[in-house]
Each structure stands twice: as C-alpha cells, then as structure tokens.
Amino acid sequence: MFRVTAAANRPCPGAAVVAEALTLARGGNVALSDASFSIAAGTVSAVIGPNGAGKSTLLHAIAGLLAPAAGTLEVLGRTAGPGSSDVAYVLQGTRVHEHLPVSVREVVAMGRYAALGPFRRMRPGDDAAISSAMERLDIADLASRQIRELSGGQRQRVFVAQGIAQEAPVLLLDEPVTGLDLVSRRRILEVVTAERVAGRAVVMTTHDLGEAAHADHVLLLAGRVVASGPPEEVLVSTSLAEAYGQRLVHLGDNVVMLDDAPHHHHPH
C-alpha cells in the first residue's frame, strides 16, 4: 500500500487539477453538481462515494471525454479537453475483443500514441518507456502473449502499464485493484507510489475506505462534494454518513461500509 507523506488538497498555483462550481451531466441527468476542489501534483487522491455518486463521470471529465455542463475544470492550468497527452486514463475492467490478435507489448505501446501523433514512428525513447512500464508491472515476460490469453490480474497490469507508458503528469485510475489477486494488487499499488514520487498526480476511484485512508487526499462524492481533504479529515463518521446514508453500520469506533457491488458503464 502507498504511504501517506502529506495532505494534498490545498489550492496552490501548481495544482494539477482545479474545479470551480463544476457541474457534470450525462444523458440529461446531473451526475455531479457545483463541485469545487483542487488536486496537487505529486499526490495520490482517492475518489470515493456510493454508486452513482459521480466518481467515474469526474474521471471522464478530467480526461477531456466529457465537457462540463457548468463551471470550470482545469488540468495543468488549461481547460480540460480531448486529445491531451497530459492525462493518462486507465478504465476499470477494460475489455479486449476475444478475437483481436494483439500482443501485450502492442497494448502497452498504445500508451505512446498520444505523444507520437499521426504517421509517426516509434523512437528509442518510446521503446524505452514501453519496456520500463512492462518491467515495473512485472509483465515483461508476457510481451509476446496475446492479451486475450491473460488472467484478469495480468490484463489489468497490462492496462496500467499502458497508462504509465504515456508518462503523463496526470494519471487517472478507475478502481485499479478491485477484485484482483494479491500479486497484481500489490504491484499496481507500488507503481502508484512510484508515480507520486515522480511528481505525478494520481487520481484513483475506489470503494475501499481502507485503501482511501492510505491516500494523500480524499474526495468524497455523493452527486456533489461532501468533503475534500486529507483522509483523517474526510473519513469521519459524519461525512461518511452524509454520503452513504443507510449503507453504513456503526460498530463502536469502527465504520463498516455496506455498498452495492461496483458497476460501471463506459461509453468510451
């Protein structure tokens, strides 16, 4: 598990992500309303909340895949928009067509496409970034294997490797370790720590309050921002009860979260 070094949600000129009165809507339904927060570089931010709270929708907006209905959303001082090489986005449970003949290395190499642009060949630096990402996720020995042949944990490591191969200053991970084997979970969380040490902003959604407690910054959503700040200030019974309602059962000083199984619909 990554270690906490400092609280992270203090507005500053060098913030990686800044939202002001942000409203996001999908299919005519408001998913997140009047949200204001900031995320610093070199930190891990955990985005938590019940199903339908707006977690994945927020990641889509930061990635430039969804325009705000109101308010502003800036990434590295610029309005969030599509096609940016500054944001790497790893979707939860990414699927690959079973009949698509694509190798592990080819999937990881796709992380370099945003920087290459059209009709450009791989350079030595691109090959180095791909190889490094594969080694860090412990999948170098799987390079020539077809992606469809891998286990769920191995596939997830491949897609995280694709994300870090992009070497973007902002890395978005949608429930990156949910349901994974212990080896894959540990390896991915070690990479998350390394990305933060390298100065990148890592934003990851999770349903695990224990996991969120180890982040630098926690953003608690319930169709709006219920709380934002360091874990010790956000993961308190009053804020959690406000967000989760009857999904929480209080047992002495402990809080047990009762939530529906994670489910997502990704149009992209």
Side-chain angles (χ1 to χ4, degrees), residues 58-251:
L58 176 59
L59 293 196
H60 270 58
I62 295 173
L65 302 176
L66 179 67
T72 61
L73 179 63
E74 293 187 347
V75 178
L76 302 176
R78 297 183 292 274
T79 300
S84 172
S85 60
D86 290 333
V87 179
Y89 187 12
V90 181
L91 295 170
Q92 193 247 352
T94 303
R95 295 180 180 179
V96 175
H97 195 284
E98 288 300 318
H99 301 292
L100 184 65
V102 58
S103 71
V104 166
R105 186 176 181 87
E106 287 170 335
V107 171
V108 177
M110 293 175 187
R112 302 300 300 173
Y113 290 177
L116 286 173
F119 311 116
R120 292 187 61 183
R121 295 179 179 275
M122 289 283 182
R123 302 154 297 188
D126 299 310
D127 289 328
I130 294 164
S131 296
S132 174
M134 294 177 65
E135 290 171 3
R136 292 171 62 190
L137 270 301
D138 197 21
I139 55 171
D141 60 330
L142 303 175
S144 61
R145 290 273 299 277
Q146 297 292 298
I147 189 72
R148 62 173 181 264
E149 299 172 353
L150 305 185
S151 68
Q154 290 171 328
R155 285 192 188 192
Q156 184 66 357
R157 278 187 274 158
V158 170
F159 291 119
V160 172
Q162 182 190 88
I164 66 171
Q166 187 173 326
E167 297 181 322
V170 178
L171 175 63
L172 309 179
L173 302 170
D174 197 2
E175 296 192 33
V177 296
T178 297
L180 297 188
D181 59 273
L182 291 177
V183 172
S184 295
R185 176 186 175 89
R186 182 173 64 250
R187 181 61 64 188
I188 289 171
L189 292 179
E190 287 172 351
V191 166
V192 167
T193 297
E195 289 297 285
R196 180 188 61 179
V197 171
R200 299 184 176 95
V202 182
V203 185
M204 53 186 286
T205 63
T206 179
H207 278 260
D208 188 335
L209 293 185
E211 193 173 281
H214 287 82
D216 299 298
H217 164 244
V218 178
L219 187 61
L220 175 57
L221 305 181
R224 58 188 177 81
V225 175
V226 176
S228 177
E232 62 270 21
E233 294 180 8
V234 175
L235 301 178
V236 295
S237 58
T238 51
S239 294
L240 292 172
E242 186 176 346
Y244 290 96
Q246 296 182 350
R247 296 180 178 90
L248 290 179
V249 174
H250 298 263
L251 300 174

